[in-house]
Every structure is written in structure tokens, then in C-alpha cells.
């Protein structure tokens, strides 16, 4: 018999990332610029705190919303870093990665038939998340000429004014684009005018360069009450495998998300919560040092692409840049050929949705030696095919 | 400030090429070269050396940390004693430190015998030195900020979202 799969699951196509992963895994000489997570280990102090918590036998569930101490630390941190005010008791929920928080939000706020506008290219989980929740996706492409920032014209062109919800991710995966306060202001205005709920994935908030500081859309007037902010420890604190994130929002919204969370997750991983508390307490310098390293690599990679003669916009956030593929290739053709011929794995931009075609996502969450070698191989490839 | 930035990168890896340093910073290659020259000329950068894990080599290398206590007099200060000790090629590092003893001296040689002889014949007899305590290095775990273990493999998936 064939198993009776739900329509929702069948609607979602297999991930384009998975395909490249499978090819890359077949060979052992591949240098990967396709990795979407830090190459650093979690700061030792955080790991040490996790170990200590295990030694002390702290392995029970925590409160559904996460340890109170951690929620307080998160409230202090977001107030301090981004000027955001959230009540640790009512307005913060700790989740198994930002991924869980995003899923909770779709399930808590999307009804069948609701339209969710997604600024793209963007992280690949939003679209399936909307579909699993029964909603409909409206892609809002961003453009290279705007440095992949979201604009009101873009929103209007895509018909986002008719949507119920808008999903943003800045600093952006896959482009490395950021949105400054000036860039966000008109978007906030648009959201207020068209009564959109905003889901803002700010997991790369710590990773901004060139003197830019992250601004949250929730910090604009009239936005806090309509926005859910997602953040977590995976990127800035290099804690991907510990699976810890959180959502911030108005009490009513967080309460609804917690309703799902308490039945489906119960509580986020306890050991990870201990690590996260320590990460916020004492790992500021580790984060700064990692950001410093990413910034050097960013400049290195951008310089090399320009030397190679591939157009690349000046990405100022996350750990990605998004060069254009040379003429004569689609992104997918380029990515496949450079993997086969040179053993360099990159991800074609179109897997991240509208606006990504013709580009490659290059992750520089990789040591400089590997970056140097990978760029040399890409250079050889481009010269050969010019 | 460009010197500070270049210094930081050289301390991370002194073998970065000037071209790569330029790529990683806002500097041009000739500015990087000028910064390095300036750092060297000012005596800020005194040299470039490899960080070695001696356990990975066949030939024995004996290293010792030596605590030294000294008695000063009107004619002889710390600097005088230090200068005299530092001239010996066996001494690889020498620092005046706070605490229970005065100098912290690192010594290298080809054998325990050679190092012991050096301490007993060249160091201990120095009139101002009142006491030496020699600790032979048995295993080194970290040198110049670099961990000497086998390192952790990159276990990340080769392509991920
Ligand atoms: C934009 C974005 N959001 C969320 C996530 C997932 O984060 P977490 O590990 O906290 O679930 C990622 C991971 O790649 C990401 O790039």
C-alpha cells in the first residue's frame, strides 16, 4: 500500500539545498561554502555551564516558556542591545531553536486561506511553514539594485497590501543584506497602514559589519503590538546543535504560541537553556571576536569576487554574500558545474525564493585557508569558462 | 590605526600575505607593507616564529620553567641580572613577575642533562641569585594561544540552510 500522506506535506517540494548536500557528500575533496552555520564551537564558558548543569543533574523539564532566569536575561539583553522592552513573564517564550518559534507563529496566527507575504530571497523554512499551517504564500522579491533591501514599491508590486502577514529576515540569509532604521521606517508605515502582522526573524542581529548596528522593526512606533521578533543562540553564539531560540511579542500572541508549544514541545532543551544563560552572562567578548573574524572573511571574500570579475553587492550582515553568476550560466548550472569540476559547494540563489535567481549564496562561516582555496578554484573555473 | 589592525592579523597568523591582509581590511597592499615596516622599525614586532608541537617530532627537546629568586644590592638591579641571563642562548624567555619568586625563566636544551648543567653551572652561581626551582615541561597543551590537541573535526553538514 502507499502511505496516505497529507496534502500539505505533498504540496511542499523537496528542498533544493538537500540536492546539493547529497552531491557534495559523495566526494571527500569538497570545500564547502554552502554551510549555513558557524564554524566556531560554542564559547567554552557556555559549554562549561552546560556540562556543569548536567553534572548537577539538572535534566528535568523547565517551565513551558523557559527558565525564568533565562527569560529575564533575554529581556535584559534585547533591551540593552536593541532597545526592545519585553516582559519576561508574559512576552517571551524560549523555544527549540528559532525554527520552532517560527513554526509556532505560523500555526498560532495563520488560518486556512490567509495570505503571508514573504520578503525573498530568504531562509527556506518560511514557505513550507506557511503551507503546513494552511496559509498561502505571496513572494515579495527584493532586488540587487536595492542591495536586496525590501522596499515599499516591492511590497506594492507583489500585492502585499492584501496580505495578512509579512515575514522579514534582516540581516538576511541568503543575501547578507541588512535594513537600516531608515530602510525600515517606510516598511513599518506600510505594515501599519495595511494592518499587517509582522514576523521579523532577527537571528543574525549580532552579525552586522562596517559600523552598522541592528535595528529591530519592533522598535518603531505602533509596531510592537503587531510584531513577533525571533532570535536565538545558533548564529551569534555558535550554538546551532544545542537548539535554542526565542520569540518576543505582545502577551496575547506569545500566549497563543505557548499554547501550541506546551503540547508539542513542553519545554526547550534544558541543558541548552543553561548554556544560553551563561552565553548571555559572560560571552559578549566571544561574540565580538567571532564577529571580528567574520568581518575579515567578509572583506576577503568580497575582494576576491571582485578580483575574479564576478559582480557582488556589499553584503553587510550575517555570514553570507550573494555574487551574480557570470553570463552563460543559470545559478543552478554554475553551482553544479563548479561542484563537479572544482569541488566547491555553493548554493544557487533560487532555492531561497523569488529574486535569488542568477546568484549564489556564499557562506564565509569557514576558515580563511579554505576560503582562499575555494576562491582560487572558483577563479580557475571562471577563467576556464570565460 | 591601520598598524593595530595589521598587528592583530600578524599575531593571528604571521604568514598571511600582504595581499590577503589588504583583502581582509580596508587597506591597500602598499599600506599594509608600510604598516609592517613601521611595526618592525619601531621594534613593536620583534620577529616571526613557528609554533611547534615538540611531541610530534622524533628528536627530543627538553624545556623547563625555572623560578628564580634574587637578592638585589645597591649596584645591581633586576635589569642587570636579567640582561646577564638573557644573553644565554639556552634562555628562551625571561620575565620579571609578581608573587613568590622574582623571575620566570624558560630554558631549552637537547637533554635533561644539558639543561640541568646549564642551570647549575651558569645560572645558580650568579651571585645575586639565591634560589632556583626548575620545572621540566612534561606535556604542552597550548602554546601561543594555539591548542596542541588533535583538534576537532568539522562535523557540520557540507551544505545546510
Ligand atoms: C534566517 C534564519 N532563521 C532561523 C534559522 C534557524 O535557527 P535555529 O537554529 O535557531 O532554529 C536559520 C538557520 O539557518 C536562519 O538562517
Amino acid at each position: 500500500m502507499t502511505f496516505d500522506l497529507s496534502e500539505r506535506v505533498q504540496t511542499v517540494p523537496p528542498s533544493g539545498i538537500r540536492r546539493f548536500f547529497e552531491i557534495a557528500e559523495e566526494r571527500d575533496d569538497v570545500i564547502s561554502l554552502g554551510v549555513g552555520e558557524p564554524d566556531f564551537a560554542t564559547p567554552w564558558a557556555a559549554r562549561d555551564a552546560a556540562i556543569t548543569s548536567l553534572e548537577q543533574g539538572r535534566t528535568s523539564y523547565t517551565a513551558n516558556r523557559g527558565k525564568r532566569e533565562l527569560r529575564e536575561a533575554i529581556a535584559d539583553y534585547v533591551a540593552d542591545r536593541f532597545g526592545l522592552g519585553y516582559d519576561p513573564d508574559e512576552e517571551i517564550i524560549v523555544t527549540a531553536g528559532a525554527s520552532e518559534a517560527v513554526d509556532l507563529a505560523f500555526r498560532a496566527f495563520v488560518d486556512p486561506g490567509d495570505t503571508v507575504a514573504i520578503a525573498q530571497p530568504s531562509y527556506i523554512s518560511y514557505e513550507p511553514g506557511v503551507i503546513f499551517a494552511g496559509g498561502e504564500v505571496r513572494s515579495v522579491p527584493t532586488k540587487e539594485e536595492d542591495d536586496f533591501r525590501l522596499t515599499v514599491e516591492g511590497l506594492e508590486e507583489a500585492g502585499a497590501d492584501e496580505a495578512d502577514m509579512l515575514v522579514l529576515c534582516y540581516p538576511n540569509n541568503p543575501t547578507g543584506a541588512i535594513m537600516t532604521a531608515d530602510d525600515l521606517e517606510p516598511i513599518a508605515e506600510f505594515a501599519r497602514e495595511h494592518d499587517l502582522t509582522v514576523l521579523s526573524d532577527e537571528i543574525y542581529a549580532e552579525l552586522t559589519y562596517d559600523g552598522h548596528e541592528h535595528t529591530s522593526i519592533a522598535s518603531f512606533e505602533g509596531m510592537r503590538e503587531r510584531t513577533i521578533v525571533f532570535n536565538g543562540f545558533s548564529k551569534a553564539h555558535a550554538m546551532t546543535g544545542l537548539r535554542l531560540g526565542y520569540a518576543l511579542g505582545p502577551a496575547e500572541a506569545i500566549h497563543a504560541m505557548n499554547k501550541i508549544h506546551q503540547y508539542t514541545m513542553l519545554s526547550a532543551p534544558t541543558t541548552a537553556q543553561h548554556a544560553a544563560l551563561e552565553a548571555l552572562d559572560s560571552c559578549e567578548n566571544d561574540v565580538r571576536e567571532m564577529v571580528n573574524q567574520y568581518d575579515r572573511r567578509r572583506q576577503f571574500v568580497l575582494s576576491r569576487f571582485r578580483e575574479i570579475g564576478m559582480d557582488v553587492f556589499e553584503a553587510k550582515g550575517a555570514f553570507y554574500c550573494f555574487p551574480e553568476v557570470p553570463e552563460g550560466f543559470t545559478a543552478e548550472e554554475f553551482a553544479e558545474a563548479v561542484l563537479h569540476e572544482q569541488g566547491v559547494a555553493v548554493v544557487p540563489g533560487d532555492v531561497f525564493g523569488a529574486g535569488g535567481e542568477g546568484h549564489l549564496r556564499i557562506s564565509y562561516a569557514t576558515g580563511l585557508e579554505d576560503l582562499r582555496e575555494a576562491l582560487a578554484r572558483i577563479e580557475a573555473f571562471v577563467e576556464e569558462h570565460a | 590605526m591601520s598598524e593595530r589592525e595589521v598587528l592583530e592579523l600578524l599575531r593571528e597568523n604571521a604568514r598571511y600575505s600582504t595581499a590577503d591582509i589588504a583583502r581582509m581590511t580596508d587597506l591597500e597592499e602598499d599600506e599594509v607593507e608600510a604598516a609592517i615596516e613601521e611595526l618592525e622599525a619601531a621594534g613593536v614586532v620583534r620577529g616571526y616564529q613557528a609554533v611547534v608541537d615538540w611531541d610530534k617530532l622524533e628528536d627530543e627537546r627538553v624545556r623547563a620553567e625555572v623560578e628564580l629568586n634574587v637578592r638585589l644590592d645597591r649596584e645591581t638591579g633586576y635589569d642587570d641580572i636579567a640582561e646577564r641571563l638573557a644573553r644565554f642562548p639556552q634562555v628562551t624567555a625571561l620575565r620579571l613577575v609578581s608573587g613568590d619568586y622574582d623571575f620566570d625563566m624558560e630554558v631549552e636544551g637537547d637533554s635533561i642533562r644539558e639543561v640541568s648543567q646549564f642551570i647549575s653551572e651558569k645560572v645558580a652561581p650568579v651571585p645575586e641569585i639565591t634560589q632556583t626551582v626548575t620545572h621540566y615541561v612534561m606535556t604542552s597543551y597550548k602554546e601561543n594561544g594555539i591548542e596542541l590537541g588533535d583538534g576537532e573535526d568539522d562535523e557540520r553538514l557540507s551544505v545546510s540552510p
Side-chain angles (χ1 to χ4, degrees):
Chain A
M1 84 172 242
T2 53
F3 212 91
D4 190 12
L5 305 175
S6 79
E7 232 167 81
R8 284 174 190 183
V9 166
Q10 291 184 66
T11 320
V12 174
S15 137
I17 290 220
R18 183 84 209 166
R19 207 166 73 78
F20 277 85
F21 167 72
E22 275 158 14
I23 309 174
E25 286 290 295
E26 279 169 18
R27 353 187 341 174
D28 53 12
D29 60 342
V30 170
I31 300 183
S32 182
L33 305 182
V35 187
E37 61 177 323
D39 56 316
F40 300 105
T42 307
W44 173 247
R47 280 186 275 161
D48 194 38
I51 294 167
T52 306
S53 77
L54 288 172
E55 282 172 347
Q56 293 171 342
R58 302 197 172 174
T59 49
S60 51
Y61 296 127
T62 68
N64 292 139
R65 288 166 187 232
K67 280 165 63 66
R68 165 101 227 241
E69 250 181 307
L70 176 58
R71 278 178 282 133
E72 278 170 11
I74 290 168
D76 289 346
Y77 165 78
V78 297
D80 202 49
R81 248 357 230 109
F82 313 117
L84 299 174
Y86 287 96
D87 173 3
D89 284 326
E90 301 285 340
E91 300 180 318
I92 298 178
I93 181 171
V94 177
T95 53
S99 303
E100 192 215 346
V102 171
D103 176 53
L104 292 178
F106 288 138
R107 284 197 281 162
F109 313 134
V110 175
D111 277 320
D114 280 359
T115 303
V116 179
I118 303 177
Q120 291 181 332
S122 63
Y123 183 51
I124 59 169
S125 292
Y126 309 136
E127 249 188 84
V130 170
I131 295 167
F132 293 145
E136 274 158 37
V137 171
R138 182 148 314 176
S139 296
V140 183
T142 58
K143 305 187 183 106
E144 170 133 41
E145 68 211 53
D146 299 319
D147 283 358
F148 290 101
R149 286 170 300 189
L150 179 62
T151 62
V152 168
E153 298 78 73
L155 285 165
E156 279 166 353
E157 263 170 47
D161 49 332
E162 294 159 15
D164 301 283
M165 191 181 276
L166 172 63
V167 182
L168 305 177
C169 171
Y170 297 96
N172 182 266
N173 176 7
T175 64
I178 60 169
M179 295 275 283
T180 64
D182 286 346
D183 300 328
L184 284 171
E185 176 76 62
I187 306 299
E189 162 101 44
F190 184 91
R192 288 189 301 257
E193 189 184 331
H194 300 288
D195 196 23
L196 300 179
T197 298
V198 174
L199 302 188
S200 184
D201 184 346
E202 302 180 13
I203 195 154
Y204 292 100
E206 286 282 356
L207 311 186
T208 56
Y209 313 106
D210 239 14
H212 287 283
E213 289 286 334
H214 176 72
T215 304
S216 173
I217 194 163
S219 64
F220 290 85
E221 204 187 312
M223 289 309 293
R224 189 187 185 286
E225 55 261 44
R226 60 174 67 255
T227 304
I228 305 291
V229 175
F230 305 110
N231 205 331
F233 297 86
S234 285
K235 313 296 170 168
H237 296 91
M239 278 176 42
T240 42
L242 287 167
R243 310 305 306 125
L244 208 71
Y246 52 91
L248 315 168
E252 190 186 4
I254 295 299
H255 186 80
M257 287 167 66
N258 188 42
K259 200 171 187 178
I260 303 173
H261 172 80
Q262 74 186 358
Y263 292 121
T264 54
M265 186 61 66
L266 250 163
S267 60
T270 302
T271 312
Q273 293 191 47
H274 286 278
L277 188 56
E278 184 64 28
L280 291 179
D281 254 13
S282 77
C283 298
E284 214 181 310
N285 283 339
D286 302 74
V287 174
R288 204 167 310 141
E289 181 49 30
M290 288 189 271
V291 172
N292 193 10
Q293 294 281 347
Y294 289 136
D295 190 21
R296 286 180 191 158
R297 298 167 180 182
R298 177 185 72 96
Q299 299 190 65
F300 177 83
V301 169
L302 291 173
S303 298
R304 288 294 284 126
F305 275 114
R306 293 190 183 117
E307 288 165 14
I308 292 169
M310 285 170 71
D311 281 332
V312 61
F313 92 99
E314 179 91 20
K316 301 239 161 109
F319 35 62
Y320 309 106
C321 67
F322 209 56
E324 240 176 85
V325 295
E327 247 168 79
F329 290 98
T330 65
E332 184 158 340
E333 285 163 0
F334 187 98
E336 218 161 295
V338 82
L339 180 51
H340 278 129
E341 291 174 30
Q342 295 285 347
V344 178
V346 299
V347 183
D350 38 296
V351 312
F352 301 95
E357 54 291 332
H359 290 78
L360 306 170
R361 187 191 72 172
I362 301 294
S363 161
Y364 49 84
T366 289
L368 199 75
E369 292 297 313
D370 277 352
L371 289 176
R372 193 189 288 119
E373 172 61 22
L375 269 303
R377 293 186 190 181
I378 291 175
E379 184 166 43
F381 178 86
V382 169
E383 270 168 15
E384 200 182 313
H385 294 271
Chain B
M1 264 351 271
S2 57
E3 276 156 34
R4 223 27 238 229
E5 222 179 336
V6 170
L7 182 61
E8 211 178 291
L9 282 159
L10 289 176
R11 293 213 344 122
E12 184 175 290
N13 182 348
R15 294 199 59 185
Y16 282 147
S17 66
T18 49
D20 279 350
I21 293 176
R23 290 183 182 112
M24 284 186 270
T25 59
D26 285 333
L27 304 170
E28 298 297 326
E29 206 176 329
D30 53 355
E31 292 174 304
V32 174
E33 271 160 24
I36 294 175
E37 270 167 37
E38 180 51 37
L39 286 164
E40 289 172 353
V44 176
V45 170
R46 295 299 186 112
Y48 306 90
Q49 295 179 332
V51 179
V52 176
D53 184 349
W54 290 104
D55 291 346
K56 289 276 192 291
L57 285 175
E58 291 295 313
D59 32 336
E60 201 190 3
R61 194 73 193 152
V62 171
R63 297 190 299 155
E65 309 269 340
V66 188
E67 301 172 7
L68 298 179
N69 266 310
V70 300
R71 187 182 300 119
L72 303 180
D73 59 37
R74 216 164 286 169
E75 276 87 52
T76 323
Y78 286 123
D79 291 355
D80 302 306
I81 302 166
E83 227 169 89
R84 190 164 171 179
L85 291 169
R87 290 217 168 95
F88 289 108
Q90 291 91 333
V91 175
T92 54
L94 180 65
R95 304 176 181 101
L96 182 66
V97 296
S98 63
D100 289 344
Y101 52 96
D102 300 307
F103 285 104
D104 183 10
M105 183 169 79
E106 290 173 24
V107 179
E108 264 187 46
D110 289 334
S111 65
I112 291 198
R113 213 174 99 104
E114 186 192 317
V115 172
S116 306
Q117 257 177 3
F118 170 68
I119 307 285
S120 60
E121 288 170 18
K122 304 290 186 215
V123 179
V126 173
E128 292 82 8
I129 293 181
T130 56
Q131 192 194 19
T132 70
V133 179
T134 303
H135 305 275
Y136 285 99
V137 173
M138 301 199 291
T139 306
S140 180
Y141 297 96
K142 192 171 183 180
E143 296 281 343
N144 292 49
I146 296 176
E147 286 182 55
L148 303 184
D150 287 333
E152 287 132 36
D153 288 342
D154 189 347
E155 290 193 338
R156 298 179 299 162
L157 302 177
S158 55
V159 182
S160 59

